[in-house]
Amino acid sequence: MDIIKNLTKSISLLDEIEEEYETIPKIQSELDLRLSDVYHFIEHNHLNTSQRYRIVSLLRDLLEERRKNKTDWELLRTFKNIENKLSQKDNRKMLIAEIRKKEKLINSDYKYRVYTEEELRKFIGK
């Protein structure tokens, strides 16, 4: 086993995680601004059918990217909450369990708050 190589690799990975933890809120903010621009454009412009299709495609892409970033953020926050306990071997297993639990929660089906899925499907003619 090459101790220096393994430690260097571990530290490099921790540095990457820290950098991502600091970067994700900035990315999320930028995505929120983009979404706001698109919402306002839709609000203030009359769009024909093909334009609506393209703008909805753009919205979907932005929302998917936002969801991925939000998922990454929640997983990294879970890591950061337990990070100080990683010096003990048993706590490392707990970290993995907590991250998997958080991932399962994040990836659970969306619960509609106001509309039902059926109402929205009816609205779009499906």
Side-chain angles (χ1 to χ4, degrees), residues 50-100:
S50 65
Q51 292 168 329
R52 282 185 232 143
Y53 177 81
R54 287 194 300 272
I55 202 86
V56 167
S57 292
L58 174 60
L59 269 175
R60 182 181 174 123
D61 291 345
L62 290 170
L63 290 168
E64 284 176 353
E65 188 175 350
R66 187 177 187 282
R67 170 61 55 202
K68 185 198 175 308
N69 275 294
K70 190 173 179 181
T71 298
D72 290 347
W73 175 248
E74 287 300 323
L75 295 174
L76 285 171
R77 278 183 20 153
T78 301
F79 169 77
K80 293 297 277 180
N81 288 339
I82 300 174
E83 182 178 31
N84 292 335
K85 299 177 183 176
L86 291 178
S87 61
Q88 297 173 357
K89 190 174 183 176
D90 290 341
N91 288 340
R92 295 177 203 149
K93 293 176 185 173
M94 181 184 71
L95 170 65
I96 296 299
E98 285 296 315
I99 287 178
R100 287 200 174 117

Side-chain angles (χ1 to χ4, degrees), residues 13-61:
L13 286 172
L14 288 171
D15 288 346
E16 271 184 56
I17 289 169
E18 189 69 35
E19 185 177 320
E20 199 165 337
Y21 184 77
E22 292 170 3
T23 304
I24 285 179
K26 295 171 190 165
I27 294 170
Q28 199 74 5
S29 178
E30 172 70 22
L31 285 166
D32 288 341
L33 291 173
R34 287 178 183 207
L35 283 165
S36 182
D37 287 350
V38 173
Y39 293 146
H40 283 91
F41 183 82
I42 291 169
E43 181 182 359
H44 296 287
N45 292 278
H46 183 73
L47 305 172
N48 65 33
T49 303
S50 65
Q51 292 168 329
R52 282 185 232 143
Y53 177 81
R54 287 194 300 272
I55 202 86
V56 167
S57 292
L58 174 60
L59 269 175
R60 182 181 174 123
D61 291 345

